[in-house]
Amino acid sequence: MDKHYLTPLLAPGTVVVFAGSPEDCPSGGQAHALHQALRAQRYSGTLAFVDTHTSGTLADLAQTRADLAVIALPPAEVAAALEIAGRMACRSALVISAGIDATLAAELKRIARREGVHLLGPNCLGLQRPALGLNASAAGPLAQAGPLALVSQSGALTAAMLDWAARNAVGFSSVVSLGPNTAVDIAQVLDFLANDAATQSILVYLEGIGSSRRFMSALRSAANAKPVVVLKSGRKPAGNEAAQTHSGATVGSDEVFDAALRRAGAVRVRSFVELFSAAKCLASRYRPVGKRLAIVTNGGGPGVLAADWVNEIALVLGKLSPETVATLQPLLPPLASLSDLIDLSEAADATHYRAAIEAAGRDTQVDGVLAIHSPKPGGDAMAVAEALAELKRGFGKPLLACWMGDASVAGARQRLNEAAIPSFRTPEAAVGAFGNIASFYQNQLLLQQTPPPLSALAKPDIEGARLVIESVLAERRHVLTEMESKTLLSSFHIPVTQTILARSPHEAMMTATQLGFPVALKIDSPDISHKSDVQGVALNVMNGASARDTYSDMVERVTRLRPEARINGVTVQRMAAARRGREVHVGLVTDDPFGPVIVFGAGGTMIELIDDRAMELPPLNQFLARRLIERSRVAETLADWRGAPAVNMDALEQVLLRVSEMVCELPQLREMDINPIIVDEHGAVAVDARIVIDGAAPIVGGRGQRYQHLAILPYPARYEQVFPMRGGGEYTVRPIHPDDAQMLQALVQSLSPESRYFRFITALTKLPPSMLARFTLIDYDREMALVAVYKDRQANAEGEITETERIIGVSRYITNPDQSSCEFSLVVADDFSGKGLGTRLMESIMAVARDKGLSEIDGLVLSSNSGMLRLMRSLGFTVKPFAEDPDFKLVTHAL
């Protein structure tokens, strides 16, 4: 039960092949290519070929058992072969056959679902597992083994990537080609690779996705464990349409996809060339670093080009510290310059390169090094490459190379490839590759954020907001009036300008006089979304008579331009007083497939022309809100700017947090445009707002679950409870979050060897970093971990009482592939055994599983773990032998 459910597909021990006989397969066809691929090397497992025409009766075939069935038959014969694979108890199937239409593909999915088979394909090139010697593909020769995994929705790109890798000494742990109609989707493959010890980094070519919640969950899990680089097609509308046609999956907005990848901790590249560059860096096992790149060069021109590109993609030029400069300068040629670039001059040789790169590697102000070499008369490009190759072995930072030229440096480039040093032909490509590495560091910070649906600010009036929405929907309207929109904002404590509806010219005059001048008048109609389009806005009205006349003129004009529109009257509001305030906008768009997305940027009447839109997936916390603001172009005007003091950033961030709360708690929201919001040193106030709603919430997650409209499930704070401790004191049971990593590690290290073995079935003394990350950053939709946190009070040397928190127990479940049951685990600190903690943690985790709609919870317990078995029986679990291993007992409980 500890193996991933896709292990039979992606790491099979036994493979049965339905591809006819080699003699009958037409040359150049997929079946012929499959036969050649499978027989070209020794597979580490058991391989059997089945010809359904000559291999005996169905009863005979049913006696064979296999993990994986590979099918490469004519379309008319595929369904029958899949049926036979099901009878043979195959737990997975790969259909390489091409030319299968959507109707037959749906039938294959139905058969696979009925037989309990995980189906990859049809219309794909198959898969490769080089370490196993398994080439179940029509993508060419088996790739060499290595740390990279490639997952692609394009067969052509898969073949091209493998061809490039063979010439560049890049190896793979897995290569998986996904067809447009596959039942096993990209999210499931990512989930497997996240837990695959042979995979150190993942490359993804993506055209579209099915479920955004599943995709984000798997991508976050994978990116938390190892670097993930994604190349997505369809960045422009024409490409979007082509990608959707090709992959059969949903594409969505490119800007939203960018935001989703950032939030998942992955890095996006924009071209096939960049994907190759990323592959070079990842094959060298470089890990996330900062943004400071030092450039070592023997030519000023290439160095300046590299420095320009550093600035262009928002990296930082790494400069040596004064101490390093003083130490390094005497070791370099007389004309060498260390002010910005590390320019070694034309006289530089391999010794100078070595000294400079070693110095940059030791300097704490440098995160990575790019060595650029230009051919010079009498220069030795190979010697410099050899120096880099020797340095690489003990170099602790990313080291990249750019050998300019062509024929004269070919041998040097080959030597760099052999040393696994990423080598590029242009400075810009090399800098861009380092930028991809650095992006991991930035995006990992976003990945670690797990905000709750509601912030720590004053509780909003959610029920009041829902009543407003229900009243609008009852009138069969979808666009809220300005008054209704501002009421909704006020329910979530977003400051708005005082707005009063006037229903006659006389009321407009009286209201304007009471509010004080100048005022703004705006038409109020449920049928008019953009007031300025019908001249329904008047600003800086300075007296009562003008307010009365403006009302009459506006209503007459709008009635003439939009005779069918219902007009409630005209809203009157005092003009915002901030003279040096900045105009920004905060909005909401709903994307297919990612659901609601929060937008921030410059506001005012020129919003469409400026097109300043930074995006983030909800929910937000203060860190995410600040990063969202920083990504906008208007951000640079929010500090001291042209004589105006810096704006109140706390107030602006609070508006974003409140909008995030609205998005989480009001699934009916479809569009929202709060524009402008005027923000200055005193605060922020919303001047106008337009909100569009719909009665049916978008389904992004699972049906019937709370927050099903969000691509990222919020931190489930509702499961937090405080319990009394047997013997005195109390402890808190709450869902785990990434900040618990250090306390969780301390718990594991404090356990006795026996307790650790009972929990992990291994003799580990502490959790490896990848396992610790996987245990603390979880997807609350498909798994849950509850920690019991105890405040330990101790007196220091001065007698003062200090409190330190520690985790004293963890219960956890992970949803099984059937989506109706889950597997649990439990561990309790040895010094808190016997205090009822295990019972409380199990009851709490079972309550969460029940709340999620799961019907059964099960687990494996070592037969020698008498204490755990006793606890399970006391909780009503059924205890029975585990057929696959007599050392374990299978415990189950209906929920």
Side-chain angles (χ1 to χ4, degrees):
M1 295 176 73
D2 58 340
K3 289 185 177 180
H4 194 277
Y5 63 90
L6 287 187
T7 298
L9 173 67
L10 298 175
T14 307
V15 177
V16 59
V17 182
F18 297 82
S21 64
E23 297 77 18
D24 297 334
C25 296
S27 179
Q30 286 184 307
H32 184 264
L34 178 65
H35 274 287
Q36 288 186 318
L38 287 168
R39 298 172 192 269
Q41 61 284 310
R42 183 180 178 84
Y43 167 50
S44 62
T46 302
L47 187 64
F49 290 85
V50 174
D51 187 340
T52 54
H53 302 292
T54 62
S55 295
T57 66
L58 180 59
D60 295 331
L61 292 172
Q63 301 304 311
T64 307
R65 292 289 183 267
D67 292 323
L68 171 64
V70 181
I71 303 172
L73 295 171
E77 300 177 28
V78 172
L82 187 58
E83 295 257 13
I84 294 172
R87 304 286 178 85
M88 296 169 66
C90 291
R91 290 177 289 172
S92 62
L94 167 62
V95 178
I96 297 179
S97 305
I100 293 178
D101 60 23
T103 303
L104 179 53
E107 173 65 12
L108 296 179
K109 285 184 182 180
R110 187 188 64 78
I111 295 170
R113 190 163 49 246
R114 185 189 69 215
E115 300 293 339
V117 172
H118 296 295
L119 175 63
L120 178 63
N123 303 322
C124 71
L125 289 188
L127 63 91
Q128 295 187 3
R129 290 282 284 180
L132 301 178
L134 177 62
N135 186 3
S137 79
L142 182 66
Q144 71 179 61
L148 285 179
L150 172 63
V151 188
S152 173
Q153 289 182 329
S154 165
L157 189 142
T158 303
M161 195 77 183
L162 290 174
D163 185 56
W164 170 86
R167 297 176 61 86
N168 286 270
V170 172
F172 294 93
S173 63
S174 304
V175 177
V176 182
S177 168
L178 297 167
N181 306 111
T182 181
V184 172
D185 62 14
I186 198 163
Q188 293 170 295
V189 176
L190 282 173
D191 189 66
F192 173 86
L193 295 173
N195 299 284
D196 180 33
T199 299
Q200 301 297 320
S201 309
I202 304 171
L203 299 174
V204 178
Y205 173 75
L206 187 68
E207 294 180 347
I209 61 174
S211 164
S212 66
R213 171 75 67 78
R214 285 209 321 272
F215 173 74
M216 287 296 290
S217 168
L219 184 60
R220 282 163 61 86
S221 175
N224 187 46
K226 53 202 69 173
V228 180
V229 175
V230 180
L231 170 62
K232 175 186 174 290
S233 61
R235 288 191 290 133
K236 301 299 180 184
N240 250 335
E241 292 172 11
Q244 189 155 355
T245 302
H246 183 219
S247 71
T250 307
V251 178
S253 160
D254 198 63
E255 295 171 294
V256 175
F257 190 83
D258 264 351
L261 284 190
R262 275 195 304 269
R263 188 67 175 275
V267 167
R268 181 180 186 180
V269 294
R270 304 283 172 167
S271 69
F272 196 40
V273 173
E274 284 190 43
L275 187 65
F276 287 151
S277 299
K280 288 183 181 181
C281 293
L282 294 178
S284 301
R285 305 198 181 193
Y286 291 145
R287 287 295 174 264
V289 293
K291 302 167 66 174
R292 300 168 300 180
L293 177 65
I295 298 172
V296 180
T297 179
N298 67 341
V304 172
L305 286 175
D308 286 345
W309 202 246
V310 164
N311 293 325
E312 182 71 22
I313 63 175
L315 294 175
V316 177
L317 186 63
K319 300 178 183 179
L320 300 178
S321 65
E323 296 79 13
T324 302
V325 170
T327 304
L328 177 61
Q329 192 78 62
L331 306 177
L332 301 180
L335 296 179
S337 170
L338 303 178
S339 56
D340 290 316
L341 300 172
I342 305 175
D343 186 351
L344 304 179
S345 80
E346 294 187 359
D349 59 21
T351 304
H352 302 130
Y353 268 93
R354 177 190 290 275
I357 294 170
E358 283 181 333
R362 292 191 299 266
D363 199 310
T364 57
Q365 295 181 188
V366 172
D367 297 312
V369 179
L370 168 60
I372 302 177
H373 183 272
S374 302
K376 306 291 181 185
D380 192 341
M382 178 61 81
V384 179
E386 286 287 356
L388 263 67
E390 293 174 10
L391 281 172
K392 170 70 165 55
R393 298 189 191 100
F395 205 69
K397 298 175 181 177
L399 174 60
L400 294 84
C402 172
W403 257 230
M404 308 284 286
D406 194 12
S408 65
V409 297
R413 286 196 184 120
Q414 181 62 33
R415 180 68 186 97
L416 293 169
N417 276 343
E418 292 170 356
I421 297 174
S423 174
F424 303 90
R425 292 177 177 269
T426 66
E428 294 88 348
V431 172
F434 178 81
N436 291 332
I437 304 173
S439 294
F440 278 113
Y441 176 77
Q442 302 298 321
N443 292 355
Q444 289 288 308
L445 297 177
L446 301 181
L447 171 63
Q448 298 297 319
Q449 308 304 311
T450 53
L454 295 178
S455 67
L457 302 172
K459 187 176 180 180
D461 181 9
I462 299 173
E463 288 305 315
R466 287 172 178 162
L467 287 174
V468 172
I469 290 174
E470 288 171 7
S471 66
V472 172
L473 292 174
E475 297 178 12
R476 299 190 176 184
R477 291 192 288 118
H478 296 284
V479 181
L480 276 64
T481 65
E482 181 185 0
M483 292 290 289
E484 292 165 338
S485 296
K486 286 186 173 179
T487 300
L488 216 59
L489 299 182
S490 297
S491 298
F492 282 79
H493 306 298
I494 296 175
V496 299
T497 52
Q498 184 179 2
T499 304
I500 299 175
L501 178 64
R503 299 183 181 276
S504 69
H506 181 73
E507 282 187 21
M509 180 182 68
M510 298 292 291
T511 301
T513 304
Q514 292 171 25
L515 290 176
F517 298 99
V519 296
L521 273 65
K522 302 176 185 177
I523 200 71
D524 188 85
S525 168
D527 304 316
I528 298 175
S529 300
H530 299 285
K531 307 176 188 68
S532 57
D533 291 351
V534 292
Q535 302 174 46
V537 179
L539 305 178
N540 290 310
V541 178
M542 302 302 296
N543 55 60
S546 180
R548 180 195 60 204
D549 296 343
T550 299
Y551 181 104
S552 299
D553 293 344
M554 184 179 293
V555 171
E556 186 275 329
R557 184 168 55 249
V558 173
T559 301
R560 185 178 70 254
L561 293 173
R562 291 285 302 276
E564 82 289 355
R566 294 166 291 174
I567 297 175
N568 298 327
V570 172
T571 60
V572 183
Q573 58 185 264
R574 188 171 183 180
M575 295 286 293
R579 294 185 177 181
R580 300 306 304 272
R582 282 63 137 194
E583 291 188 345
V584 300
H585 87 276
V586 175
L588 162 72
V589 296
T590 300
D591 178 76
D592 184 12
F594 287 102
V597 183
I598 297 171
V599 182
F600 175 83
T605 56
M606 304 290 285
I607 180 173
E608 287 88 0
L609 183 62
I610 297 172
D611 193 27
D612 181 17
R613 303 204 317 168
M615 294 185 171
E616 187 61 81
L617 269 62
L620 302 183
N621 58 15
Q622 190 170 11
F623 177 87
L624 293 169
R626 177 64 63 95
R627 287 300 178 92
L628 175 58
I629 294 169
E630 290 172 353
R631 286 199 300 273
S632 68
R633 294 206 297 273
V634 76
E636 61 186 68
T637 72
L638 302 179
D640 294 328
W641 188 68
R642 295 188 178 180
V647 306
N648 186 332
M649 288 295 290
D650 288 340
L652 187 54
E653 288 168 7
Q654 286 187 18
V655 171
L656 285 167
L657 293 178
R658 291 302 195 183
V659 169
S660 174
E661 292 179 342
M662 293 179 69
V663 173
C664 290
E665 299 298 333
L666 304 176
Q668 300 90 344
L669 297 180
R670 288 297 173 277
E671 299 175 28
M672 180 160 55
D673 186 15
I674 312 174
N675 178 40
I677 298 173
I678 297 181
V679 56
D680 60 14
E681 67 273 25
H682 303 296
V685 60
V687 176
D688 201 355
R690 174 181 177 271
I691 295 176
V692 179
I693 60 174
D694 195 350
I699 307 296
V700 173
R703 292 183 177 274
Q705 298 175 5
R706 198 173 182 192
Y707 305 119
Q708 63 186 359
H709 60 297
L710 302 178
I712 299 175
L713 200 65
Y715 178 78
R718 65 187 184 279
Y719 293 130
E720 184 171 325
Q721 292 179 282
V722 178
F723 296 105
M725 179 80 73
R726 186 183 300 169
E730 63 182 25
Y731 60 95
T732 301
V733 173
R734 59 164 175 78
I736 201 167
H737 53 66
D739 293 339
D740 292 327
Q742 190 173 351
M743 287 197 293
L744 182 63
Q745 186 71 280
L747 169 65
V748 172
Q749 291 180 302
S750 72
L751 295 173
S752 67
E754 182 183 51
S755 296
R756 278 198 296 267
Y757 186 77
F758 281 160
R759 169 60 182 90
F760 300 105
I761 322 297
T762 183
L764 59 75
T765 56
K766 67 177 184 178
L767 297 175
S770 59
M771 186 181 292
L772 186 63
R774 182 159 51 87
F775 280 174
T776 52
L777 181 70
I778 66 173
D779 173 20
Y780 302 110
D781 193 29
R782 61 177 178 170
E783 60 184 304
M784 181 60 70
L786 298 178
V787 292
V789 181
Y790 179 73
K791 290 186 177 179
D792 202 1
R793 297 186 177 186
Q794 294 180 339
N796 59 21
E798 290 76 27
E800 298 174 334
I801 302 297
T802 60
E803 284 188 346
T804 57
E805 286 190 337
R806 59 175 291 207
I807 291 177
I808 56 175
V810 185
S811 59
R812 180 185 303 268
Y813 78 72
I814 298 178
T815 305
N816 290 324
D818 61 14
Q819 301 298 310
S820 63
S821 64
C822 61
E823 181 181 356
F824 79 91
S825 63
L826 174 68
V827 65
V828 174
D830 293 318
D831 54 334
F832 280 82
S833 179
K835 295 181 178 291
L837 202 60
T839 299
R840 183 68 72 185
L841 282 168
M842 281 304 302
E843 289 175 343
S844 298
I845 201 71
M846 290 166 68
V848 174
R850 195 177 294 115
D851 185 48
K852 289 287 187 178
L854 299 174
S855 60
E856 184 178 81
I857 187 168
D858 55 50
L860 288 179
V861 180
L862 278 169
S863 302
S864 56
N865 192 348
S866 56
M868 177 69 83
L869 292 173
R870 191 163 51 248
L871 173 61
M872 293 298 102
R873 289 189 175 97
S874 71
L875 291 169
F877 276 74
T878 299
V879 180
K880 53 188 178 184
F882 182 51
E884 297 181 24
D885 192 335
D887 290 336
F888 289 89
K889 298 291 186 182
L890 177 63
V891 298
T892 60
H893 194 297
L895 296 172

